[in-house]
Amino acid sequence: MKRRRSLTIENKILMAVVGICVLSVLCFGFLMLREGYQNKLTQERDKGEELLAYVSWDIRQFGDDVGQDAILEGCAALENSGLVILDGQGARLLGTEQGTALVDEGSILADRSDNHFGWRLCYTLDPAEFQNSLVEEQKYAILATIALLIVTIQVGVFVSYGISEPVRRLAAACAAIGERPQEAAPELIPTDVGSAETRQLADAFGRMLEELRRYNTALAEQKALNESIVENLPLGVVAYGADGQVLCVNDRASTMLADEDFSAAGQTLRLVLERHLTQGSVPLQAIRLENGQGDMRVYQIGVWRLRRGGPETEPGTLCTIDDVTYDKIMEEKVGESEKLAYIGKLAAMLAHEIRNPLAGIRASIQVVGRGLERERDRTLCTSVIKEVDRINELIEGLLNLSRKRESHKAMVELRPLLGEVAMLYSKLAGNHGVTMRTAAEPGLAVYADEAEMKQVLVNLVSNGLKAVGQGGHIELRAESGPAGVLLSVTDDGAGMDGEKLCSVEKGIASGGTGRYGLAIVSRLLEQNGGEMKIRSSPGGGTRIEMRFHRADTGEKETL
């Protein structure tokens, strides 16, 4: 669709003035030409009638004496191309073919038949020749009309410019202000604009601009304040229009929505938020996202109806995004601590109640075993004693879980520690056909309690020996990474599927039966600034990863 171009005030005034002047000149020129045309036509008609009257007189006076041929020769001698003589049957006696054609067309100025020869006398007029003759006679009048028309147009231009110049300057100033209203100032309005009425209009515009400038200043200050408030909120803020387009987003929300490393069911935070907006639902629970390294982010989403303008305006949506990861972690840790505290008290109570009867049972079995003669009976007693010792070890684990020992932290070098644990289990591993390997960077250390770190490794290696079969492998590795130190114990045993792994992790958190060793490991790591992550797959073995803060900072890093 083509855009219609609007006329300026100068053009409008010019068109009106020039139109009136041109119309007047054209009317004057038309009247002059018409008058000349009428006069010339009258002259030609009078000339024709006079000629025909002369011919008719000749016929009356001399026709009978000289005859028709002599009359026709006399008329031919006049050499007038407009004279045409026809007989009673309409045959041409005198005149040109063009003249005869003009008679047939009716282009006759004079016509007489009052002669005793019965001739028809016609005086014709050639329109083309007549017009050329008229133009030749009226050429000075036409030139005068054209000159007058040019002068009239020039006068119209000057008149329209003089009238529209003040208004044009005011209009140009208003257009400049419309393009940059924030720079509006009364100084932009011209004051030397001619008449008093135009100056009054300019003064009114100046006062309006002063009001506009004050309003723009207040509006800019309010806008800057609102933007500062939104940017400094401890929340991410996103405003959506009714069509789903983003109207406003602060830096905190931009950072959260741009993070594609964390997702839930393959959807990033941005996709999750857009899905809820599309469905018109409000997420009541916090959204938990994870990355490939097992780290998590937890966001609490708030949704409010956003109205802009009047009630008839379609509402938008205002969303707030609160990163509650730290709160969630603290909440989980408080819950785990409460569970562990309760389990510890229960374990201590049960351990004390069970150990005394177990000691009596073991002593009794030993006494009975000495008096037995059959090898089978002595073997049975030895098996019972081993089972009692195993139960005692479980009880000792319960007691360790319930005890709170003061940690003595220092810089613990990992390479000697791994070698010591490997040497401690080397004989037992050899008896089971298991190969143990260690790998650690020289000088790599963590800030922890050495005894507790040794207990962590002992428990994990013990679990690994139970998981692998003949010819299996267990590896203890320590390496540095961007987040600090990564300590791992890996075996190539049967591994665990997702359901079993989830059950183990829940057992660690709750201290479930059969998982006290890992529960102790988790608690000791927490006391020494580390966190544990279990990675396992069916047939792929199990890898226990323990991450620690950098040794030179002494501060825990969030994973």
Side-chain angles (χ1 to χ4, degrees):
M1 181 178 179
K2 294 184 178 179
R3 184 179 178 182
R4 296 181 60 185
R5 298 183 62 183
S6 59
L7 296 175
T8 63
I9 187 170
E10 292 178 353
N11 294 334
K12 293 179 180 178
I13 297 175
L14 177 62
M15 290 175 62
V17 174
V18 171
I20 294 173
C21 295
V22 169
L23 183 62
S24 302
V25 172
L26 291 178
C27 290
F28 176 73
F30 174 75
L31 292 176
M32 289 180 61
L33 291 175
R34 182 175 177 79
E35 182 67 21
Y37 173 81
Q38 293 293 341
N39 291 336
K40 186 170 180 60
L41 185 62
T42 301
Q43 291 177 3
E44 290 291 332
R45 184 179 291 111
D46 293 343
K47 179 180 176 181
E49 289 178 353
E50 183 180 351
L51 178 61
L52 295 183
Y54 174 77
V55 173
S56 296
W57 183 83
D58 277 352
I59 294 174
R60 286 193 306 269
Q61 294 294 330
F62 306 108
D64 293 335
D65 295 334
V66 299
Q68 295 183 1
D69 294 335
I71 294 298
L72 289 175
E73 290 177 1
C75 292
L78 298 176
E79 295 182 355
N80 192 319
S81 60
L83 179 61
V84 178
I85 300 176
L86 306 175
D87 61 10
Q89 285 75 33
R92 182 182 66 193
L93 300 176
L94 179 68
T96 63
E97 293 182 0
Q98 182 180 3
T100 306
L102 291 175
V103 171
D104 295 337
E105 294 175 0
S107 298
I108 303 174
L109 288 180
D111 186 7
R112 296 187 67 164
S113 301
D114 54 345
N115 58 81
H116 59 274
F117 287 164
W119 292 351
R120 182 184 178 189
L121 307 179
C122 300
Y123 186 78
T124 62
L125 178 65
D126 186 358
E129 184 179 352
F130 179 77
Q131 290 177 3
N132 293 333
S133 176
L134 179 63
V135 170
E136 181 66 23
E137 293 179 1
Q138 298 291 329
K139 62 182 178 180
Y140 294 107
I142 295 174
L143 291 176
T145 302
I146 294 174
L148 181 61
L149 182 61
I150 294 174
V151 172
T152 302
I153 292 175
Q154 290 291 335
V155 172
V157 171
F158 286 120
V159 171
S160 63
Y161 182 82
I163 295 175
S164 63
E165 172 62 12
V167 180
R168 184 189 63 78
R169 293 172 61 189
L170 286 176
C174 293
I177 293 169
E179 293 177 358
R180 297 184 300 274
Q182 66 277 5
E183 300 177 6
E187 294 78 11
L188 297 176
I189 299 298
T191 56
D192 53 337
V193 288
S195 65
E197 292 80 4
T198 312
R199 284 196 297 272
Q200 290 178 358
L201 181 62
D203 294 340
F205 273 117
R207 290 191 296 270
M208 290 172 58
L209 281 184
E210 184 63 32
E211 292 295 327
L212 179 62
R213 182 169 64 176
R214 286 198 293 266
Y215 173 77
N216 285 340
T217 302
L219 184 62
E221 293 176 353
Q222 186 64 39
K223 181 181 178 182
L225 176 61
N226 292 341
E227 290 178 351
S228 177
I229 292 174
V230 172
E231 288 297 332
N232 290 282
L233 285 174
L235 307 172
V237 178
V238 189
Y240 294 91
D243 56 354
Q245 296 295 322
V246 177
L247 303 177
C248 173
V249 56
N250 63 357
D251 291 341
R252 191 179 295 271
S254 297
T255 302
M256 294 177 181
L257 296 176
D259 189 355
E260 298 185 354
D261 294 335
F262 291 83
S263 61
Q267 290 188 324
T268 61
L269 177 62
R270 179 178 59 82
L271 295 177
V272 172
L273 186 58
E274 291 177 355
R275 174 168 55 83
H276 282 288
L277 290 176
T278 303
Q279 297 175 352
S281 60
V282 179
L284 302 178
Q285 302 294 331
I287 299 174
R288 184 187 183 102
L289 308 177
E290 294 184 356
N291 64 0
Q293 286 73 40
D295 302 329
M296 74 169 182
R297 293 285 186 271
V298 183
Y299 297 103
Q300 187 69 50
I301 307 297
V303 180
W304 288 268
R305 186 66 60 87
L306 178 65
R307 289 194 176 275
R308 299 186 302 152
E312 67 280 357
T313 306
E314 291 191 36
T317 305
L318 178 64
C319 299
T320 59
I321 310 172
D322 188 8
D323 188 345
V324 295
T325 304
Y326 178 79
D327 298 339
K328 192 67 175 178
I329 292 175
M330 291 299 102
E331 179 182 341
E332 292 177 355
K333 288 190 175 184
V334 168
E336 291 176 4
S337 299
E338 292 177 352
K339 291 179 181 179
L340 289 176
Y342 175 76
I343 292 172
K345 292 179 181 179
L346 181 62
M349 181 182 67
L350 291 175
H352 286 294
E353 293 296 330
I354 295 174
R355 289 184 73 180
N356 291 333
L358 280 178
I361 293 173
R362 190 178 190 283
S364 300
I365 294 298
Q366 287 177 332
V367 172
V368 172
R370 294 192 191 103
L372 295 176
E373 297 179 356
R374 296 173 59 183
E375 183 65 26
R376 180 180 178 182
D377 294 338
R378 288 197 298 271
T379 302
L380 179 60
C381 289
T382 302
S383 299
V384 173
I385 292 174
K386 287 183 179 180
E387 292 300 318
V388 170
D389 289 340
R390 191 172 70 84
I391 295 174
N392 194 55
E393 288 179 1
L394 293 175
I395 294 172
E396 185 66 27
L398 287 172
L399 288 176
N400 289 334
L401 188 64
S402 64
R403 291 169 185 163
K404 288 186 178 181
R405 174 180 170 273
E406 183 179 356
S407 296
H408 301 282
K409 294 183 180 181
M411 297 303 299
V412 179
E413 193 170 351
L414 295 178
R415 190 170 185 178
L417 180 62
L418 297 184
E420 182 181 350
V421 173
M423 184 178 63
L424 180 64
Y425 277 91
S426 60
K427 186 175 181 179
L428 182 60
N431 293 337
H432 289 80
V434 176
T435 302
M436 293 192 63
R437 294 192 299 265
T438 62
E441 299 176 10
L444 190 62
V446 294
Y447 184 73
D449 186 306
E450 184 174 2
E452 292 177 350
M453 291 299 299
K454 184 176 180 179
Q455 184 177 353
V456 166
L457 294 173
V458 165
N459 286 2
L460 295 180
V461 171
S462 178
N463 289 342
L465 288 173
K466 296 175 183 177
V468 299
Q470 187 75 20
H473 298 83
I474 296 177
E475 182 184 47
L476 286 74
R477 176 179 290 273
E479 54 190 337
S480 60
V485 176
L486 176 63
L487 182 61
S488 63
V489 177
T490 307
D491 66 66
D492 57 358
M496 297 176 285
D497 56 20
E499 183 179 355
K500 187 174 182 181
L501 181 59
C502 182
S503 175
V504 169
E505 290 176 344
K506 290 182 179 180
I508 295 173
S510 62
T513 305
R515 302 298 172 191
Y516 296 117
L518 291 179
I520 293 173
V521 168
S522 177
R523 182 169 64 83
L524 292 178
L525 287 174
E526 184 179 353
Q527 291 177 183
N528 287 275
E531 292 187 358
M532 180 175 65
K533 181 70 177 179
I534 304 176
R535 302 185 185 278
S536 184
S537 61
T542 302
R543 175 183 172 89
I544 310 294
E545 295 180 352
M546 295 158 282
R547 297 177 183 270
F548 294 87
H549 58 81
R550 293 185 182 275
D552 56 349
T553 62
E555 297 175 356
K556 182 177 178 180
E557 294 185 358
T558 303
L559 299 179

